[in-house]
Amino acid sequence: MKQQTFIKSVMVTSVALVLSACGGGGGGGGSDREVSSGGSLSLDDGGYSNRKASLNTQQDFEGTTPAYQSSEEALDLVTEVEDVINSGGLEEIVHDGATAQALDDSVDLACENENGSVKVTDKSVSSVIDVRYDFSNCRLTTVSFGQVALNGSYTFKESGSSSSGSESWTGSETFNISGSFVASGTPFALKGGDRWSETFDAAAEQGTLTLSSDVLEFKKGTSYVALQNSLITLGIDGNQLALSTEFRLISSAMNGYVDYTTPSPVVIDLSQESTCPVQGINRMEGDGVVEVRYGVDTGTGADIVVEVNNNTVASYETCDESGINMFPGAL
């Protein structure tokens, strides 16, 4: 159902790779910045959003990467569940009379367990995609997560146009899902949503992708991770990619939160043999401050410099030396 636009597929891959390579995200904007009420949390029963995570060593910085990546697990789960539903393997539940009339644009599908169902409401028309999934005690088997039990809802909306290599799209997702991984019995919950907009002009070789979210929470057993008030912008202009990020990462693995920003956008020149950024600063702030500097922003001639509380703890003459692979075959 989802529109697979060129710039989005390229840019989303690029964002994920850059964020993971940069220690979990773009830099941090300062842990005392005001968090808007639009990003309120509901699953943080451990109080992780109330304390700054330890960020005073290179090891602390490296620990932010798996914390960020765990937030992506929830989205991977939803994608695999959606793939199962759209594969055509689920049988439709046939209703009679008033029940059938009330379904309108919806169809009830039987899940793998008795009395389990998912209602799919599809109001898509032309270039507008509008789909909602309502789960009721529904068990489905996914490729990576095995069988999962689901309750709650997921919505996906997108609209836009494309012509002669140029395109413009906006979209959103909303999650309110609870359930469990059946094999282990581990419960999980996913709440929140995200939005995006993208434009691309093929003739000018220019485009912009913006991803934003007030809050996205994922709780799996006793593990908790959330992205709050995030804004990620990736621009492409010829051979140059420029990434700017701002968000708060909250994690039980870090026992607190870290704020990220890019005081200087991370810029990658695709015309160069090396895919290491030619400039950029990722700033992360918890109870300490880490900055990862690239290219001209290192001020030393090195490709990458890592600073913790204004002290250089690592310097790499090349990206290969650092072990950071910024764009492994993504573009």
Side-chain angles (χ1 to χ4, degrees), residues 191-213:
K191 296 192 72 173
D194 53 54
R195 303 174 297 277
W196 60 87
S197 64
E198 57 105 339
T199 60
F200 182 65
D201 186 331
E205 296 184 333
Q206 293 179 328
T208 302
L209 171 66
T210 300
L211 306 171
S212 62
S213 175

Side-chain angles (χ1 to χ4, degrees), residues 142-171:
T142 64
V143 173
S144 304
F145 301 92
Q147 191 178 59
V148 294
L150 302 162
N151 286 288
S153 63
Y154 164 62
T155 61
F156 178 92
K157 297 181 179 181
E158 186 174 61
S159 62
S161 62
S162 60
S163 176
S164 303
S166 297
E167 54 188 48
S168 177
W169 294 86
T170 60

